[in-house]
Amino acid sequence: MRHLLIILAMLTWLTGAVGAETKIATINLRRVFDGYWKTKAASADLRGRTEEYDQDFRKLLDQYQKANEAYRQLVTKYTDSTTTDEEKKKLENTARAKVGELREMEAELNQFLQHSRTLINEKQQRLRGSILGEINVVVTAKARSGNYDLVLDTSGETSNNIPTVAYTSGKNDLTDAVLEELNATAPAEPPKAEPAKPDAATPAPAAATPPAKPEPKKEEPKPESKAQKPGEK
């Protein structure tokens, strides 16, 4: 609905400009946004921060799983028929404390997940807003220098996935010019080191001879043994 209102507003503006020469340019903002070097740097930063949070979460989860396994062992010991009543009382108190510990750890895990997701989303929105603002500055400058009255985004779509621009000849497209100016500030990439070439005077090392396969050992018969289950006499 919002995109439809924008289209209607543009059509109304164009209708009111009948008789006056209107210069219109186009731009693929999606390609500009994805191709901007700061967008790629921001994506890499977000991935790194997400991996850090994931590692911290796995550490907390590992601690929780160990505590849960200790609780299971307490329950197994408690239900063992060989456990005395006195031992059961001690196990019961220990298990009750362990349950409280597990609940606190579960709350910590949930809190960590919500907090980390909130931080990632907020950082993503800040970076996106900053990048779009920089793109808009360059687009506005290009439009003014070219005396364009309107710049349409050819990558825009309505809520029904219908392109907002049905056709353009591409004559006044600003995509490449905007991308070139934005990426002009990209830091220089360090030169890739070329692999060292072997010296012609140095003979190539001889191929290693694979070790001989050991002869299979004959398995000796093992005596049968019956494992006594806990509780059996």
Side-chain angles (χ1 to χ4, degrees), residues 7 17 21 24-25 27 43 63 70 74 76 81 100 120 138 156 167 175 179 185 187 192 204 207 216 221 228 233:
I7 296 174
E21 183 180 358
I24 299 177
I27 188 172
S43 298
Q63 295 174 2
L74 289 174
T76 302
S81 59
I120 290 294
V138 176
Y167 170 78
T175 304
L179 260 179
T185 60
K192 297 181 180 180
Q228 184 178 0
K233 297 181 179 179

Side-chain angles (χ1 to χ4, degrees), residues 10-32:
M10 289 191 302
L11 291 176
T12 303
W13 181 84
L14 290 173
T15 303
V18 173
E21 183 180 358
T22 303
K23 292 188 65 176
I24 299 177
T26 58
I27 188 172
N28 189 321
L29 284 179
R30 183 177 302 172
R31 188 159 75 86
V32 171

Side-chain angles (χ1 to χ4, degrees), residues 134-153:
E134 294 179 10
I135 292 175
N136 185 62
V137 169
V138 176
V139 172
T140 302
K142 292 291 183 185
R144 288 176 178 174
S145 63
N147 294 323
Y148 294 109
D149 301 298
L150 187 65
V151 180
L152 299 179
D153 178 19

Side-chain angles (χ1 to χ4, degrees), residues 215-219:
E215 297 182 359
K217 297 181 179 180
K218 297 181 180 180
E219 296 183 357

Side-chain angles (χ1 to χ4, degrees), residues 117-128:
R117 288 173 180 173
T118 300
L119 291 178
I120 290 294
N121 290 335
E122 290 178 352
K123 186 177 181 65
Q124 184 178 17
Q125 293 300 324
R126 287 196 304 270
L127 291 173
R128 180 180 178 85

Side-chain angles (χ1 to χ4, degrees), residues 51-185:
E51 290 175 359
E52 291 178 2
Y53 286 140
D54 185 63
Q55 291 176 1
D56 294 339
F57 176 77
R58 290 182 182 276
K59 292 178 181 178
L60 293 175
L61 183 61
D62 183 62
Q63 295 174 2
Y64 173 81
Q65 290 175 342
K66 289 180 178 179
N68 191 35
E69 180 62 27
Y71 172 75
R72 288 186 177 184
Q73 292 177 2
L74 289 174
V75 174
T76 302
K77 182 65 176 176
Y78 183 87
T79 56
D80 193 345
S81 59
T82 61
T83 304
T84 64
D85 293 340
E86 183 177 356
E87 290 176 334
K88 285 185 177 181
K89 290 181 180 179
K90 295 180 180 179
L91 290 171
E92 186 176 354
N93 293 332
T94 306
R96 188 179 293 110
K98 184 64 67 175
V99 169
E101 181 183 348
L102 286 172
R103 289 177 178 175
E104 291 179 359
M105 296 178 75
E106 288 176 359
E108 184 179 2
L109 282 170
N110 292 329
Q111 184 178 4
F112 180 85
L113 273 179
Q114 294 176 1
H115 183 64
S116 59
R117 288 173 180 173
T118 300
L119 291 178
I120 290 294
N121 290 335
E122 290 178 352
K123 186 177 181 65
Q124 184 178 17
Q125 293 300 324
R126 287 196 304 270
L127 291 173
R128 180 180 178 85
S130 176
I131 290 172
L132 288 176
E134 294 179 10
I135 292 175
N136 185 62
V137 169
V138 176
V139 172
T140 302
K142 292 291 183 185
R144 288 176 178 174
S145 63
N147 294 323
Y148 294 109
D149 301 298
L150 187 65
V151 180
L152 299 179
D153 178 19
T154 58
S155 65
E157 293 181 348
T158 66
S159 57
N160 296 326
N161 298 326
I162 299 175
T164 54
V165 178
Y167 170 78
T168 173
S169 63
K171 293 181 179 179
N172 297 327
D173 189 81
L174 304 178
T175 304
D176 293 335
V178 170
L179 260 179
E180 182 179 358
E181 182 169 340
L182 288 170
N183 289 329
T185 60

